[in-house]
Amino acid sequence: MYSTAAAAAAASSPPRRDFISVTLSLEEGLGPGSYNNSKAWRRRSCWRKWKQLSRLQRSVILFLFAALAVCGVISYTSMGESWKSLVNKSLDDQRTEPDVPGLKLANPAVLPAPQKADGNLGDYPELSPQKPPKLPYGRHGPPSFQLKPPQRNVRLKTQHDISRAVEGPVQAEKEEKPEKSVISWRGAVIEPDQSPEPPSSKVKEAEKPSSVAAEGQKEPVPINERQLAVIEAFRHAWRGYKAFAWGHDELKPLSKSYSEWFGLGLTLIDALDTLWILGLKEEFEEARKWVANDLVFDKNVDVNLFESTIRILGGLLSTYHLSGDSLFLEKAKDIGNRLMPAFRTPSKIPYSDVNIGRGTAHPPRWTSDSTVAEVTSIQLEFRELSRLTGDEKFQRAVDEVMKHVHSLSGKNDGLVPMFINTNSGQFTHMGVYTLGARADSYYEYLLKQWIQGGKKENELLEDYMRAIEGVKKHLLQRSQPKKLTFVGELAHGHFSAKMDHLVCFLPGTLALGAHNGLTADHMKLAEALIETCYQMYAQVETGLSPEIVHFNLHAQKGQNDVEVKPADRHNLLRPETVESLFYMYRFTGDKKYQDWGWKILQSFNKYTRVPTGGYTSINNVQNPSNPEPRDKMESFFLGETLKYLFLLFSDDIDLINLDKFVFNTEAHPLPIWVPA
Ligand code: DMJ
């Protein structure tokens, strides 16, 4: 049934205007007594009415429907876009303005140098800032990290974005009224005194790395030929270690055996994060298995507190950060706890040795002194362990050492003697000042702790700045004939033109300080010193540096700047020069530093490589026809030397970004704490 109005309309069939069909429907629906709203009736009725329309009317209606549908789709899409941009905007508002430092001048060097977040969030896994711990490090607290797993096997020949550590967005620090200022490398006036309070040693809540994230989206950075050469060298060294020394401390590549120092698989642990950074997945997995199944610290063995901290604790912590694998944190906690008895001394200055099975500690047999560098170069690791575990005792113990040393008399313009007594807490063997063995990493850790803690611990910075002034005043000299700037030693007022290879950490540290906003002079000095360190290789017959050199202060015909004494002409495959080359290249982009590193690698390959696997220390860098192999590959060759070479040859500043990581003195990268 349908209404009379509809019938009339159908009968006359005049050309209709578009609205007619609507009118019909209304009449139908509202017609008294004619109401039938069954589905079938409605379908029939509509169909009839449709049929009654002219072709033109139908076309117009269809056109209108089509137009409506198109409008609907368009407005839906644009709403989606504006919704997305709204959401993005609000996310952007929450995060720091992206600012990736360029390779050449990576940081404009203004204090407080911001802890830069990479601008391209797409590079990283989802950023998930973590809950800031309560008051562990002063007002700002430690940073949150999100870290990537190795995402390639090296065979792919890409750097991908393995080991690129990511922290949550970082807020630029608040500007505060300067009290003291320093002129930065780039000429800006900087303000080191960011916080009136030193960080609290109270750690109440544990900090964890973020879970391992998904594949990164950034274009992989291809591995270049030089990096491949480092990987090849590493594999060669690893092959020897695996075949003849697996699970032992050091490889003896000539005798195809091993030596033990602590009996804790030192080389394997030292090499874990290098394996990760080089992208050697299979080897990493194998090594991980050994750590999981065979690494046991419950052993009646004496270990050196410093060496086991920088190599084992440092290596485990950095591997934990890079891989996100809690196995490494568990092991780090275990060794950290076992090292704590070292601090039970009358002065709280730790003993040099700890029995990690018995929980006892003692100084060396012949003295109750500890080495200054040793007791002041365990801080980065113990502080990080506190941050991760929430257990304040680790940080408290090492902070106390630093505070104590800060307040001690007996320094010479910031330069420290080499020994400190564990009973009295006083410096001993006064009057000898060096940046070499027994003092070196004291200076390195002053700066690095300051960086690690977010540049707030002013005493550390003050001590560092004062010490560098002390170096300039007492230890810097120039050699003849090439006028190389070098760091000598001072013994009871007498200058000695002797420089350990160990001192070659200094250019890198100075450059790192300049990058973090310290004075421009430091960068200039770094440039001069790295030239000298390179000459310690270049002026020697094998192209490898001896352990110690003496510089000529007076020009003599036909003489080099560098002199080597018979007792000092060994080379232990040490890292310090390539370490500094890495920093210099990162901060200046000057390719000469890569070229120098390349020459050094070639010399290592020529004179220290053992054909059956591994590399060896040598006794005589001055005799290319017989460098006298020593039959020992130190763990730091894999932990440091090859790692720094690999990083030196990389143009990817995110491959261990120096605004996010600080390397411990064994080249294990630890996160920089970022204000929460
Ligand atoms: C490493 O164990 C560390 O770099 C330490 O700071 C100094 N000695 C060796 C490398 O030379």
Side-chain angles (χ1 to χ4, degrees):
M1 277 244 267
Y2 57 92
S3 74
T4 45
S12 57
S13 296
R16 303 186 182 221
R17 292 206 298 270
D18 300 339
F19 59 79
I20 287 178
S21 61
V22 177
T23 310
L24 287 173
S25 301
L26 279 172
E27 280 174 0
E28 268 179 11
L30 295 172
S34 65
Y35 182 70
N36 179 345
N37 203 27
S38 80
K39 266 189 194 166
W41 181 86
R42 269 183 284 143
R43 231 180 280 130
R44 272 199 310 274
S45 156
C46 283
W47 181 241
R48 272 192 214 109
K49 280 173 203 154
W50 177 252
K51 285 289 207 187
Q52 289 161 5
L53 297 178
S54 71
R55 191 174 289 168
L56 175 69
Q57 282 175 314
R58 281 191 229 153
S59 305
V60 169
I61 290 167
L62 283 174
F63 173 78
L64 279 174
F65 270 111
L68 269 172
V70 169
C71 287
V73 168
I74 289 169
S75 65
Y76 177 79
T77 321
S78 73
M79 261 177 72
E81 284 306 318
S82 41
W83 173 249
K84 257 195 247 166
S85 69
L86 250 173
V87 170
N88 286 345
K89 186 180 180 311
S90 88
L91 283 176
D92 284 347
D93 290 346
Q94 287 166 36
R95 69 184 166 230
T96 312
E97 193 60 30
D99 184 9
V100 184
L103 185 61
K104 294 223 166 182
L105 294 172
N107 192 336
V110 180
L111 271 183
Q115 312 298 306
K116 287 172 184 168
D118 193 306
N120 184 359
L121 291 177
D123 296 350
Y124 299 126
E126 285 164 37
L127 296 176
S128 53
Q130 294 162 16
K131 203 167 125 198
K134 290 168 198 152
L135 293 177
Y137 297 98
R139 286 179 289 126
H140 300 288
S144 310
F145 279 84
Q146 178 115 28
L147 300 128
K148 291 189 171 186
Q151 295 178 2
R152 62 166 166 78
N153 195 307
V154 71
R155 286 186 206 101
L156 300 176
K157 289 195 184 188
T158 66
Q159 265 171 219
H160 226 70
D161 36 10
I162 50 158
S163 80
R164 216 168 272 153
V166 182
E167 73 240 272
V170 177
Q171 284 194 326
E173 294 187 35
K174 274 192 232 157
E175 280 179 27
E176 285 175 26
K177 218 180 172 193
E179 282 169 28
K180 297 171 200 158
S181 59
V182 181
I183 305 300
S184 83
W185 175 29
R186 308 281 298 148
V189 177
I190 57 173
E191 169 44 53
D193 203 3
Q194 292 303 306
S195 163
E197 299 158 330
S200 156
S201 64
K202 289 217 159 189
V203 180
K204 291 180 181 161
E205 197 175 316
E207 187 75 10
K208 294 172 194 149
S210 307
S211 57
V212 174
E215 297 281 317
Q217 291 92 35
K218 198 172 179 178
E219 271 298 294
V221 177
I223 283 189
N224 58 50
E225 290 303 313
R226 287 178 175 183
Q227 285 179 294
L228 278 175
V230 179
I231 289 170
E232 193 280 323
F234 186 97
R235 278 206 159 125
H236 182 77
W238 192 250
R239 204 171 300 130
Y241 177 72
K242 198 175 157 188
F244 312 122
W246 187 249
H248 298 284
D249 283 345
E250 290 129 351
L251 168 67
K252 294 179 76 174
L254 293 173
S255 52
K256 301 195 173 101
S257 63
Y258 56 84
S259 54
E260 295 291 28
W261 189 3
F262 309 142
L264 296 173
L266 210 54
T267 294
L268 189 148
I269 299 175
D270 227 358
L272 282 168
D273 57 6
T274 311
L275 286 166
W276 183 276
I277 290 166
L278 269 54
L280 298 172
K281 265 188 180 177
E282 280 164 30
E283 291 87 343
F284 179 83
E285 283 310 322
E286 253 177 324
R288 187 208 177 273
K289 252 186 219 144
W290 184 86
V291 172
N293 302 327
D294 301 299
L295 177 59
V296 177
F297 293 127
D298 190 8
K299 272 187 176 172
N300 180 7
V301 60
D302 275 0
V303 303
N304 175 284
L305 170 68
F306 163 74
E307 298 291 358
S308 51
T309 298
I310 64 168
R311 301 185 198 213
I312 298 175
L313 179 56
L316 291 169
L317 287 173
S318 76
T319 307
Y320 168 61
H321 277 293
L322 296 177
S323 68
D325 185 338
S326 60
L327 166 71
F328 300 107
L329 179 58
E330 288 312 310
K331 293 291 180 184
K333 273 191 235 172
D334 190 6
I335 187 69
N337 275 308
R338 289 171 186 279
L339 292 174
M340 287 306 283
F343 296 90
R344 281 189 229 129
T345 69
S347 65
K348 306 274 178 61
I349 298 297
Y351 289 131
S352 59
D353 298 286
V354 193
N355 186 302
I356 53 172
R358 290 193 182 150
T360 55
H362 58 87
R365 244 172 262 132
W366 59 92
T367 175
S368 55
D369 289 349
S370 285
T371 299
V372 170
E374 292 194 357
V375 302
T376 55
S377 311
I378 50 179
Q379 278 66 16
L380 291 176
E381 300 81 359
F382 277 88
R383 283 154 48 113
E384 178 58 11
L385 188 57
S386 273
R387 192 183 78 92
L388 289 171
T389 60
D391 188 342
E392 66 188 47
K393 71 174 180 235
F394 305 111
Q395 173 161 15
R396 204 170 41 212
V398 295
D399 276 355
E400 213 159 311
V401 176
M402 289 315 293
K403 283 210 177 87
H404 180 83
V405 172
H406 172 75
S407 64
L408 270 188
S409 58
K411 291 180 200 138
N412 186 4
D413 290 318
L415 303 176
V416 289
M418 296 188 292
F419 296 98
I420 186 165
N421 190 273
T422 50
N423 294 319
S424 68
Q426 299 298 310
F427 289 129
T428 64
H429 301 82
M430 309 284 281
V432 180
Y433 303 98
T434 173
L435 262 80
R438 300 183 188 284
D440 49 359
S441 43
Y442 160 73
Y443 304 100
E444 178 187 351
Y445 268 38
L446 286 174
L447 178 78
K448 289 183 172 177
Q449 285 176 83
W450 178 70
I451 292 170
Q452 178 191 44
K455 306 181 198 173
K456 292 171 183 55
E457 295 152 281
N458 298 323
E459 289 182 352
L460 295 166
L461 180 62
E462 282 164 22
D463 288 351
Y464 176 74
M465 297 299 282
R466 197 166 296 139
I468 299 304
E469 288 312 301
V471 169
K472 288 189 204 162
K473 184 168 167 191
H474 299 289
L475 306 182
L476 272 195
Q477 277 283 2
R478 300 183 96 190
S479 67
Q480 295 293 344
K482 287 203 169 154
K483 301 200 182 334
L484 300 173
T485 302
F486 70 94
V487 180
E489 296 183 356
L490 195 64
H492 310 291
H494 295 290
F495 180 78
S496 158
K498 162 182 180 269
M499 181 164 150
D500 293 354
H501 182 272
L502 287 169
V503 181
C504 288
F505 81 92
L506 187 59
T509 298
L510 287 166
L512 181 65
H515 173 72
N516 279 280
L518 305 186
T519 169
D521 285 1
H522 287 199
M523 194 61 189
K524 285 222 172 75
L525 183 54
E527 280 164 357
L529 286 174
I530 191 61
E531 167 80 43
T532 306
C533 288
Y534 176 61
Q535 289 302 322
M536 286 163 64
Y537 287 71
Q539 293 195 11
V540 176
E541 289 79 348
T542 54
L544 290 173
S545 170
E547 179 73 356
I548 299 169
V549 297
H550 288 76
F551 287 93
N552 285 317
L553 292 173
H554 308 288
Q556 279 176 39
K557 222 180 165 192
Q559 234 178 14
N560 273 341
D561 296 68
V562 168
E563 289 244 313
V564 187
K565 303 211 162 158
D568 306 330
R569 58 190 184 195
H570 49 288
N571 179 297
L572 304 183
L573 313 170
R574 286 197 190 276
E576 290 76 17
T577 295
V578 293
E579 168 186 355
S580 285
L581 287 172
F582 156 64
Y583 285 105
M584 296 306 293
Y585 180 67
R586 268 283 167 102
F587 298 142
T588 67
D590 188 337
K591 298 264 180 208
K592 82 175 174 206
Y593 298 124
Q594 286 187 327
D595 295 342
W596 292 355
W598 180 239
K599 285 200 175 132
I600 291 172
L601 176 61
Q602 285 171 318
S603 295
F604 277 133
N605 275 330
K606 195 160 176 195
Y607 296 107
T608 72
R609 186 173 162 118
V610 179
T612 45
Y615 287 73
T616 178
S617 313
I618 54 173
N619 263 333
N620 191 352
V621 292
Q622 293 181 302
N623 188 353
S625 56
N626 182 15
E628 300 170 30
R630 274 193 165 190
D631 194 19
K632 183 161 173 175
M633 184 174 79
E634 300 281 349
S635 78
F636 49 70
F637 184 62
L638 301 191
E640 297 193 68
T641 310
L642 292 179
K643 183 189 289 155
Y644 281 130
L645 280 166
F646 185 78
L647 294 172
L648 164 67
F649 298 142
S650 169
D651 281 320
D652 183 0
I653 61 161
D654 283 326
L655 189 62
I656 311 298
N657 187 318
L658 290 173
D659 292 319
K660 293 171 181 164
F661 282 104
V662 61
F663 283 93
N664 85 341
T665 192
E666 190 74 8
H668 298 304
L670 297 174
I672 293 171
W673 307 338
V674 179

